[in-house]
Amino acid sequence: MKILRVGFILCLVVALSPLHAAPVTGHPRLWLRASDLLRLRSWAVPGNPIYQDGLAELARRAKADMDAKRVPDQDPGATTYVDYPTEMYAELFAFMSLIGSDTATRDDYAQRARTLLMYVIDRALPGAAEGQPFRDPNFSISDRSRWHGEAFALTVDWIYSYLSSADKEKIRTVFLRWVGEDINATTTSFNHPEPIGVVNDPRLVSDQARVRWAGNNYFTGHMRNIGLMSMALDPADDPGEALRKFLGNATGAWLYIFDYLMRTDGRGGLLPEGFEYSPQSAGYVIQLLLALQTAGQDDPKAWGPQVVLAGNPFWDDFVAAYLHSLSPASLASPAFGQVYQPAWYGDSQTYIAPDFIGAFGPLGVYDYVTGNARRLQALRWIETNMAPGGPVGLSDRARDSNFNQNAIFYFMLFDPAAPAPDDPRPSLPLNFFASGLGRILSRSSWDRNASWFTYKLSWNQVDHQNGDGNQVEFYRRGEWLTKERSGYDLDAGGSNNHNTLTLQNDRPDRDPDDYRITNWRLGSQWAYVASGDPKIVARSFGQGFVYVTGDATALYNSTSENATDILHASRSLVWLQPDHIVLFDRAASKTAGRFKRFNLNFPTQAVVSGNLSTMTTASGQKLFVTTVLPAGAAILSEADSVLVGDPANEEPMQFRLIVDALGGPSGVRFLHVLQGASAGVSADAVALIESSTGSPFSGVLLKDTSILFPVDLNASFSGITYAVPASTKIHLITGLSPGAGYDVSTQASAGNSIQVKINTGTTYRADSGGVLEYPPPSLPRPRRRP
């Protein structure tokens, strides 16, 4: 059914797509056309700092490297990192040959590009040979190919008139081999479409795991390289169009699957591998889509609707998700200058918001040529202000010598005559939900002193994902009070680093150093091998609150590892804006005596006094954590440890709060209240509320607001009765049927309290997430105190 539904959407895109131009027969045609050259040459002038201090300076240094024979002589032809990747230099010189100020300058750059291009091609020409420079079968499918693989096709296209017939024959021979290696790549799991040769066919997306792995950065890198190589040569130089025919494979198999992922399990603008690799994964796709547009090959009637970038809402969401994922305020990093802190997910080497120029650059170029001025302005603002280094570091980023394509995109993105772009963030809503990865990002405002709440409950099946199901994070007034502890393969993605529960399960039959043993020791959700997907049961963006319930049970069990002891693991929560978060966790196992723990990560060590834990940041802000349930829990505050992997550079979380249900009961409920507060503010009183009749509900009284959750997530509702002080003004009852009707009655009780009864009825209605607000927000009621 899902395939049919997406197929309908794609057909609708075809029907609504504008007419497309015929394929471009001249050169250049990849990322830019001959008609763009006069404009770009007018930008390549000393008065344009992006050019003068960026691209031109990079080209000057590159020429010096070549003249000193560092390139190509010091390129060993390896398959991964090298100091002087020959093809990257060729790409830069080829681009400069298009925008140079005079014929002599352009000729010099073109000849340099040809020399370097043919240096690699001549050495690759004899065929694949393991371990040989430029000939190893992994050269076309490993790290180097994704980092710089676009350079070969672009260089060919950009200096086409400088290549002889013999050059083109050699290039075609090598390209055909590389394409064949890409189409059969096994760099990681599910790293090529199957069945091989099938295009635009639902069989390609019938395997959910294969669809999810299409978000992998190697997969999209192979796709980009196949597509670019297939479009680089003219038909006259490609007998029988043996190379050109692979464009149908790149678009009809690789892009077909990725497009399906974006509309289903990646819907909402976030890709599965997180901030470390998703900028690359998305960038490779956009680079191909841009090339299809400039080459006149983005015709849905010829290749399928997936070739039309503007036809997929994912890319607007991609930009919005980025903005929602960055901290309200920037901070000064000793190593990087002005940086923003992201709501990170996935593996992390350095905890700062990365530069998305490899994705936002080609997206902005696409927007320039297609007239999407609004998104183009947003991208220019982002790349000026939110990339590491901020506005001061713009010139440094525009001469990035690690990836010359980045400098090319900076140059092409910034029209020197364009007015300064406006900040796009105030026009965005305060709440964001990416349904594909179950990600909620919500803030109290777009100013720098906003409170910011994040939640995540995602499937966990591909590289670089972590055990972060039901994770919460909280940022307030310029700093994180609690967040995930980011790292690379940190504790094998263990849930202890992700502000969620850890639950002991059956031990897998694995070697002690296997990652699954690490997952088991920590009570973590399973990487790769979980029994199934979690589910966001309900969510609401209410007036002054965010509510969500997520069932993560399947993530804690692994059928393939014979670890299936967890009967239930779910979390319900309410963020009562701006400063309070109420967490209600349910955990049950078949076997008693196994640990069940609640975890929060902190930047400084918390002080525990009874059931109140207090963390004070370096600036003096506080996070109060009140443990309401279970009674008699053991509460431990300790420095974070590492079993395997590495914490990210500049990661602020260094300590952990652990709440352990003593004795390892087979079933337990955790109930916590988190309160952010400024220096000098005391913790608010928190009182437990439990229903006395009807369905079991538990919750808290917080100031003048009562918040209740069902004890058993799967039980049917049979009415509830509970008592609260008469001063209670607002009631939030969660876990009800979305949109259903209910009656509410209150009656004075002993001790200046009231008894509240809620039954199914007709007077009031729960919202779309099953939250009943009483009195409803449509009626006059007191403002919640901050």
Side-chain angles (χ1 to χ4, degrees):
M1 182 63 71
K2 187 181 289 185
I3 292 173
L4 293 176
R5 189 161 55 245
V6 172
F8 170 77
I9 294 172
L10 297 182
C11 291
L12 184 61
V13 170
V14 173
L16 296 179
S17 295
L19 295 176
H20 292 265
V24 176
T25 57
H27 298 272
R29 57 176 174 243
L30 301 180
W31 293 4
L32 70 160
R33 300 178 181 180
S35 57
D36 297 314
L37 296 183
L38 286 179
R39 170 176 57 85
L40 293 176
R41 288 172 187 170
S42 74
W43 295 4
V45 294
N48 177 6
I50 293 288
Y51 174 75
Q52 185 65 22
D53 301 330
L55 187 64
E57 175 62 18
L58 180 65
R60 184 191 65 78
R61 296 176 185 178
K63 288 173 65 176
D65 284 339
M66 187 173 181
D67 293 343
K69 300 189 182 301
R70 286 185 283 270
V71 59
D73 295 26
Q74 294 184 33
D75 183 350
T79 65
T80 184
Y81 176 81
V82 297
D83 288 328
Y84 301 100
T86 303
E87 65 274 25
M88 184 183 80
Y89 282 78
E91 177 183 359
L92 175 62
F93 292 146
F95 185 77
M96 296 301 291
S97 77
L98 298 175
I99 67 167
S101 59
D102 57 76
T103 302
T105 299
R106 294 195 289 269
D107 285 345
D108 177 70
Y109 278 124
Q111 293 296 347
R112 288 175 181 271
R114 181 193 173 277
T115 297
L116 298 181
L117 170 69
M118 297 312 298
Y119 179 90
V120 177
I121 294 296
D122 285 339
R123 282 152 183 77
L125 189 63
E130 188 172 349
Q132 294 301 306
F134 303 106
R135 295 175 61 192
D136 192 291
N138 285 319
F139 184 83
S140 63
I141 63 173
S142 190
D143 289 332
R144 184 164 174 170
S145 72
R146 63 187 175 94
W147 292 335
H148 311 298
E150 83 290 342
F152 293 104
L154 294 177
T155 301
V156 170
D157 174 53
W158 293 347
I159 64 165
Y160 206 78
S161 64
Y162 289 84
L163 299 171
S164 68
S165 296
D167 291 340
K168 295 169 187 173
E169 184 176 354
K170 293 177 181 179
I171 291 166
R172 177 177 180 271
T173 299
V174 173
F175 279 12
L176 283 170
R177 175 165 65 82
W178 286 347
V179 166
E181 290 165 352
D182 281 330
I183 286 176
N184 293 276
T186 55
T187 315
T188 59
S189 302
F190 300 107
N191 218 208
H192 61 262
E194 287 188 357
I196 293 176
V198 171
V199 298
N200 291 312
D201 191 308
R203 284 180 292 169
L204 292 164
V205 295
S206 61
D207 184 341
Q208 188 178 55
R210 189 170 294 281
V211 171
R212 289 173 172 179
W213 277 92
N216 173 261
N217 58 97
Y218 286 107
F219 183 98
T220 62
H222 302 331
M223 174 182 68
R224 175 200 63 186
N225 294 348
I226 294 169
L228 293 181
M229 285 188 287
S230 69
M231 291 186 284
L233 294 176
D234 291 342
D237 300 312
D238 181 22
E241 298 197 354
L243 185 59
R244 177 58 61 93
K245 72 179 182 182
F246 288 108
L247 181 58
N249 185 276
T251 58
W254 301 76
L255 187 55
Y256 179 90
I257 299 174
F258 185 85
D259 184 86
Y260 184 83
L261 170 66
M262 289 190 290
R263 299 177 188 274
T264 54
D265 288 334
R267 185 177 182 180
L270 295 173
L271 291 174
E273 290 187 326
F275 271 96
E276 184 74 30
Y277 290 101
S278 284
Q280 300 171 48
S281 301
Y284 304 149
V285 179
I286 303 171
Q287 290 165 28
L288 173 60
L289 289 167
L290 173 62
L292 290 170
Q293 197 280 331
T294 58
Q297 296 288 356
D298 61 336
D299 183 355
K301 294 181 179 178
W303 306 112
Q306 64 271 16
V307 301
V308 183
L309 186 153
N312 195 321
F314 179 89
W315 298 116
D316 276 334
D317 290 340
F318 180 63
V319 178
Y322 172 88
L323 291 168
H324 280 279
S325 295
L326 265 58
S327 56
S330 63
L331 54 80
S333 161
F336 300 96
Q338 176 186 309
V339 298
Y340 283 82
Q341 294 181 305
W344 196 279
Y345 67 104
D347 281 335
S348 172
Q349 296 185 70
T350 300
Y351 177 68
I352 61 170
D355 190 354
F356 271 49
I357 188 62
F360 288 163
L363 186 60
V365 175
Y366 181 93
D367 289 342
Y368 187 95
V369 298
T370 59
N372 189 341
R374 181 174 182 178
R375 189 168 64 193
L376 174 60
Q377 289 295 89
L379 294 171
R380 287 174 172 167
W381 187 89
I382 288 168
E383 286 301 334
T384 300
N385 295 281
M386 306 197 88
V392 173
L394 181 58
S395 294
D396 288 336
R397 299 194 299 277
R399 56 174 178 262
D400 180 7
S401 61
N402 294 301
F403 300 97
N404 287 347
Q405 64 160 264
N406 290 354
I408 293 171
F409 282 132
Y410 266 110
F411 172 75
M412 295 178 72
L413 181 63
F414 285 95
D415 178 350
D422 294 328
D423 184 346
R425 296 175 297 174
S427 65
L428 296 175
L430 298 177
N431 299 312
F432 183 85
F433 177 58
S435 61
L437 293 188
R439 184 65 150 161
I440 290 174
L441 301 158
S442 181
R443 60 189 71 207
S444 58
S445 71
W446 281 104
D447 68 57
R448 60 182 297 107
N449 288 321
S451 293
W452 183 33
F453 168 81
T454 90
Y455 169 85
K456 187 168 184 286
L457 180 60
S458 169
W459 49 270
N460 184 357
Q461 196 171 9
V462 305
D463 274 349
H464 310 299
Q465 291 185 302
N466 292 316
D468 56 7
N470 277 330
Q471 172 182 288
V472 296
E473 300 172 308
F474 187 46
Y475 176 105
R476 182 182 187 274
R477 292 190 173 272
E479 59 188 341
W480 285 109
L481 303 187
T482 182
K483 64 175 282 293
E484 71 159 32
R485 187 183 181 216
S486 304
Y488 203 97
D489 196 30
L490 185 58
D491 297 332
S495 299
N496 57 316
N497 295 305
H498 293 284
N499 287 359
T500 191
L501 300 182
T502 47
L503 308 173
Q504 188 176 11
N505 208 319
D506 304 311
R507 189 185 196 280
D509 184 17
R510 297 287 179 178
D511 293 335
D513 58 351
D514 190 284
Y515 79 90
R516 284 157 287 204
I517 293 299
T518 302
N519 285 170
W520 168 76
R521 284 176 177 162
L522 295 171
S524 176
Q525 300 160 17
W526 299 95
Y528 301 110
V529 295
S531 291
D533 292 346
K535 180 182 180 182
I536 292 183
V537 178
R539 64 178 177 88
S540 295
F541 294 136
Q543 189 179 96
F545 74 89
V546 172
Y547 159 74
V548 64
T549 287
D551 186 343
T553 307
L555 296 178
Y556 287 94
N557 288 318
S558 175
T559 304
S560 65
E561 298 303 314
N562 295 313
T564 58
D565 194 57
I566 305 305
L567 294 172
H568 186 82
S570 68
R571 167 170 284 178
S572 297
L573 64 87
V574 168
W575 175 33
L576 197 62
Q577 298 168 339
D579 285 334
H580 297 84
I581 302 170
V582 184
L583 302 174
F584 187 75
D585 293 292
R586 311 167 188 86
S589 60
K590 301 173 189 175
T591 307
R594 293 181 167 177
F595 69 74
K596 296 174 178 63
R597 295 169 182 159
F598 169 93
N599 304 273
L600 286 177
N601 293 278
F602 294 149
T604 66
Q605 189 162 13
V607 176
V608 180
S609 177
N611 72 336
L612 178 65
S613 303
T614 304
M615 186 279 302
T616 305
T617 70
S619 73
Q621 286 197 87
K622 296 181 183 296
L623 181 66
F624 300 113
V625 181
T626 303
T627 300
V628 183
L629 294 175
I635 305 175
L636 176 65
S637 174
E638 64 179 14
D640 284 330
S641 58
V642 178
L643 290 181
V644 297
D646 299 293
N649 299 322
E650 307 214 9
E651 168 54 46
M653 298 297 114
Q654 304 293 330
F655 298 88
R656 183 173 296 128
L657 183 74
I658 302 171
V659 180
D660 199 334
L662 289 179
S666 57
V668 67
R669 302 294 182 264
F670 294 94
L671 178 57
H672 289 87
V673 175
L674 282 58
Q675 177 190 347
S678 300
V681 176
S682 301
D684 292 326
V686 175
L688 173 67
I689 304 173
E690 296 183 303
S691 59
S692 57
T693 62
S695 299
F697 271 62
S698 290
V700 295
L701 177 68
L702 186 59
K703 292 189 174 181
D704 57 5
T705 301
S706 65
I707 303 168
L708 285 99
F709 308 96
V711 173
D712 184 346
L713 189 60
N714 299 313
S716 59
F717 181 74
S718 58
I720 59 170
T721 302
Y722 63 95
V724 291
S727 58
T728 304
K729 303 299 183 184
I730 300 169
H731 304 256
L732 297 178
I733 300 90
T734 72
L736 303 179
S737 297
Y742 295 91
D743 290 334
V744 180
S745 63
T746 61
Q747 182 178 349
S749 185
N752 197 31
S753 65
I754 57 170
Q755 189 177 73
V756 183
K757 291 185 177 182
I758 301 174
N759 291 288
T760 56
T762 59
T763 309
Y764 305 105
R765 292 204 170 273
D767 68 12
S768 60
V771 177
L772 179 65
E773 294 185 72
Y774 176 78
S778 58
L779 296 181
R781 61 185 190 181
R783 290 173 59 92
R784 289 195 183 99
R785 290 175 290 166

